[in-house]
Amino acid sequence: MNIIFGDTVKQVAGIHTVLELDTFKLMPSEHLVTSYCVIDNLPLAEFPSLESNKHIHQQLIEQYKQQNWDFCLSALTALMGSWNGEMDTFYQHLLDRITKCQEVPDDSWNYWIVKHSD
């Protein structure tokens, strides 16, 4: 799996399986940049579920941004182990974030991750 950022996605989206990951808010400019992963190795056994898994992943990201935690938890359960396991670490991090948000709700929550330049 390779990670790409921003408009680079346009160069590979028609050729490879590309999934949206996180959005970063770069400080101090406050510019939002989205990260994506390019799936490298997909077993033939996963090809029949490829489009379905892409759709579930896309919905997961959209519902995460809207704080629809119940949908996200269901989608994460369905997606864990897909993509030849390449996305499992990301899915686990997302699950950890969601669990934290459920335990300690935060009205100032945003879907992006703030990154400060050094």
Side-chain angles (χ1 to χ4, degrees), residues 60-104:
L60 166 65
I61 298 301
E62 290 175 15
Q63 294 304 310
Y64 176 76
K65 292 175 181 179
Q66 297 175 29
Q67 298 181 339
N68 185 348
W69 305 140
D70 290 335
F71 179 90
C72 292
L73 294 174
S74 178
L76 285 167
T77 299
L79 290 168
M80 196 66 78
S82 299
W83 316 111
N84 200 28
E86 290 187 49
M87 293 291 294
D88 286 358
T89 301
F90 172 75
Y91 291 146
Q92 186 59 53
H93 284 293
L94 207 55
L95 178 60
D96 293 345
R97 287 187 229 158
I98 291 167
T99 301
K100 182 180 176 184
C101 286
Q102 288 179 313
E103 291 172 354
V104 184

Side-chain angles (χ1 to χ4, degrees), residues 46 49-58 78-79 82-83:
E46 289 192 37
S49 58
L50 176 66
E51 291 304 318
S52 174
N53 286 345
K54 282 173 56 177
H55 180 73
I56 294 169
H57 179 90
Q58 179 183 7
L79 290 168
S82 299
W83 316 111

Side-chain angles (χ1 to χ4, degrees), residues 3-72:
I3 306 294
I4 58 175
F5 293 89
D7 291 338
T8 307
V9 71
K10 295 175 186 175
Q11 298 172 10
V12 296
I15 304 167
H16 298 283
T17 299
V18 178
L19 304 172
E20 182 177 342
L21 298 175
D22 285 313
T23 299
F24 297 91
K25 186 173 189 176
L26 307 178
M27 301 303 282
S29 69
E30 298 189 8
H31 181 69
L32 294 178
V33 176
T34 303
S35 62
Y36 302 87
C37 72
V38 179
I39 301 294
D40 293 326
N41 300 311
L42 192 63
L44 289 175
E46 289 192 37
F47 273 70
S49 58
L50 176 66
E51 291 304 318
S52 174
N53 286 345
K54 282 173 56 177
H55 180 73
I56 294 169
H57 179 90
Q58 179 183 7
Q59 292 297 312
L60 166 65
I61 298 301
E62 290 175 15
Q63 294 304 310
Y64 176 76
K65 292 175 181 179
Q66 297 175 29
Q67 298 181 339
N68 185 348
W69 305 140
D70 290 335
F71 179 90
C72 292

